[in-house]
Amino acid sequence: PPLSEEEAWHHFQAGKHGIIDSARFLITFSLVPAVQSGGDPIHLAAIHNDVRRLKYLIKVASVNVDVATKDGSSALILASALGHESIVDALIALNANVEHTMYNGVNSLMAASSFGHLAIVKKLLEANALPNVEQPYAKTSSLHFASEMGHAEVIQALCKHGANGNHRKRNGGTPLHTAADANQTEAIFSLLTHCGSRTDLLLAGDTTALYLAAQRGHTRVCHTLVTTGGADPNFVMPSGQVGKNVGIFGAEKAKWYKERNGEIGNGATALHAAVENGHLLTTRVLLKLGAKQLTSMKGASPVLIALQYKHPRIALSLLKQEYHAHLNAATPHDGMYPLFVATQYGYFRVVERLLARGANFDKPVRGYTPYALARYFANRSSDSARVLNAFEAFFKKIGWHAEDL
C-alpha cells in the first residue's frame, strides 16, 4: 500500500540518521532528497552536470572540492548518484575524496552501486575507492546495495576489484540473501559465478538464501541457487533457537521498524516455506530439484502444511505418485494428519488421491475418524458431499462397508 505522509516523513528522518538497510530505502529517502535539496554552487554544478562551472569554482574561486551540504553530501556523491560521468572524472582529477561519506554513512560507491551506474562504479574503483566499506547501521556494503537492485554488471565490477561476495551484514545476511529476497536472478548468477558467494551461509543464524526465495515464490532464483550455486534444497532450519536481530535505533522503532527474524527456528525447509505461502510453481520446481517432503517442521509434512494453509492444488502436486509424501505423518501437538484435514476442508480431489495412495482412513482425531467427519460435514456444501462420496466409492472398491468402521 502507498505510504502515509507520516510514514514517509519518518523514513526520511530515519535515512538522515543513517538507519538504512536497503538500496530502495537509500534511493527514495536519502539520495533523491539530497539531490533535490541542492546546496552550495559547487553542489548545484554537480547536480546540473556543469563541468565548466564546477572547475571554475574549485580552481579559480578556491572552493573546497569536498565541501558538504547539510546532510553531508559532497559533489562527488551527488554526481555519482545522478550518473554524471564527466563531473565524476573532473572531481577525481581534482583529488576529491572518494571515501567521503554523508552523515548517514553513505559514500559515492554505495550511491553509484545502488543506482547501477556501471561506468561511475568503475571510475571510483580505479580511483581506489574501497569496495568493502560498510554503512554503519546494518554493516551493509555496496555489493549488498547493487544486489538488491539487480545490477549484475556492477556486481561483477565490484568483485573484480575485491568486493567480498560473502560480506555479512550485522544480521548475517550476505549479498546473496539480499538478491534472493528481492527476486534478482541475474544478480544471483553474477554473485555465484564472479564473487564466490556461498549458498550455505545463514541470515539471522537460521535462514538460507534459498529459503528466502522459496518463501516469496521467486522460482527462477530458487532454480539458479540450486543448479548454479549448489544450494541444498533439503537444508533444515535449526530448531529451538531465536533468530538474531539487527539492532534498531530510535524511540519509535516499534512503530515502523519491527524486529524481524525473531521467531524460534522450527525446522522448516525451503519446500515448507514455498508450500505455506501458496507458491505452486516454486513447489513444483523444488520437487524436481530434489527437495524431499520432510517432517522436520515440528512433525508437519509439506502436504499437511499445504492443507492447513488451504492450498489444495499444491497438495495435489505433492501427492504425485513419484514423491514420498508422508501420507500419515501427524503433528505431535494435535494429532492432525493429511486425510483428516483434507476431509475437514472439503478437498474431495485431495481425499481421493490420499485414499488411492494408501492413506490411513480410520485413525481418530478428537474422537472422529476422517469418514465420521465426512458424514458430519456432508450436508454443509457440495464439496463436503463429494468428500463423503469419495470415501464410499473407495470402500466399495476395496470391499468394505461403512458399518465396518
Side-chain angles (χ1 to χ4, degrees), residues 168 171 177 200-209 211 235-239 241-244 261-268:
R168 310 298 291 272
N171 65 355
H177 286 101
D200 61 334
L201 299 180
L202 302 179
L203 166 72
D206 61 14
T207 305
T208 63
Y211 186 96
F235 175 82
V236 174
M237 178 183 286
S239 299
Q241 66 183 44
V242 178
K244 300 166 187 172
N261 301 310
E263 297 180 358
I264 296 176
N266 60 2

Side-chain angles (χ1 to χ4, degrees), residues 169 171 173-183 188 201-204 206-219 221-222 225 237 260-261 269-270 273-274 277 279 282:
K169 293 197 292 188
N171 65 355
T174 67
L176 206 60
H177 286 101
T178 301
D181 197 41
N183 198 21
I188 292 282
L201 299 180
L202 302 179
L203 166 72
D206 61 14
T207 305
T208 63
L210 181 62
Y211 186 96
L212 288 177
Q215 187 177 47
R216 292 198 181 274
H218 301 331
T219 306
V221 168
C222 289
L225 285 168
M237 178 183 286
R260 293 174 292 178
N261 301 310
T269 65
N277 289 280
H279 302 308
T282 305

Side-chain angles (χ1 to χ4, degrees), residues 127-317:
N128 298 317
L130 301 174
N132 294 308
V133 171
E134 299 171 335
Q135 194 278 339
Y137 168 63
K139 306 298 182 184
T140 312
S141 69
S142 295
L143 193 59
H144 284 95
F145 290 134
S147 297
E148 179 185 341
M149 302 306 292
H151 301 313
E153 291 183 322
V154 169
I155 290 168
Q156 292 179 35
L158 287 167
C159 289
K160 183 178 178 181
H161 283 80
N164 181 4
N166 296 302
H167 190 118
R168 310 298 291 272
K169 293 197 292 188
R170 196 184 295 274
N171 65 355
T174 67
L176 206 60
H177 286 101
T178 301
D181 197 41
N183 198 21
Q184 301 292 4
T185 307
E186 288 72 21
I188 292 282
F189 188 80
S190 284
L191 288 166
L192 293 172
T193 57
H194 295 277
C195 303
S197 294
R198 291 169 50 187
T199 59
D200 61 334
L201 299 180
L202 302 179
L203 166 72
D206 61 14
T207 305
T208 63
L210 181 62
Y211 186 96
L212 288 177
Q215 187 177 47
R216 292 198 181 274
H218 301 331
T219 306
R220 288 181 61 223
V221 168
C222 289
H223 189 272
T224 302
L225 285 168
V226 175
T227 58
T228 302
D232 179 6
N234 295 305
F235 175 82
V236 174
M237 178 183 286
S239 299
Q241 66 183 44
V242 178
K244 300 166 187 172
N245 297 302
V246 176
I248 297 176
F249 310 125
E252 294 185 330
K253 70 176 185 179
K255 189 169 186 180
W256 306 122
Y257 301 110
K258 294 180 180 178
E259 293 181 331
R260 293 174 292 178
N261 301 310
E263 297 180 358
I264 296 176
N266 60 2
T269 65
L271 186 60
H272 282 105
V275 167
E276 180 178 322
N277 289 280
H279 302 308
L280 176 61
L281 182 58
T282 305
T283 296
R284 289 175 174 171
V285 167
L286 286 171
L287 289 169
K288 289 185 177 181
L289 291 171
K292 297 177 181 178
Q293 299 188 43
L294 304 178
T295 57
S296 54
M297 187 178 175
K298 297 183 178 179
S301 65
V303 69
L304 179 60
I305 294 294
L307 294 168
Q308 288 177 326
Y309 281 85
K310 300 184 178 181
H311 304 308
R313 289 185 66 201
I314 291 178
L316 288 171
S317 288

Side-chain angles (χ1 to χ4, degrees), residues 54-97:
L54 181 90
K55 289 181 176 179
Y56 171 83
L57 289 167
I58 297 169
K59 290 182 176 181
V60 179
S62 300
V63 174
N64 183 348
V65 68
D66 295 317
V67 66
T69 63
K70 291 181 179 180
D71 63 8
S73 299
S74 67
L76 184 58
I77 290 175
L78 295 171
S80 298
L82 290 168
H84 294 332
E85 296 179 33
S86 56
I87 293 287
V88 170
D89 285 335
L91 288 167
I92 289 174
L94 292 165
N95 297 315
N97 180 8

Side-chain angles (χ1 to χ4, degrees), residues 43-52 82-88:
H43 304 116
L44 294 173
I47 290 169
H48 293 288
N49 203 18
D50 190 341
V51 178
R52 183 177 177 182
L82 290 168
H84 294 332
E85 296 179 33
S86 56
I87 293 287
V88 170

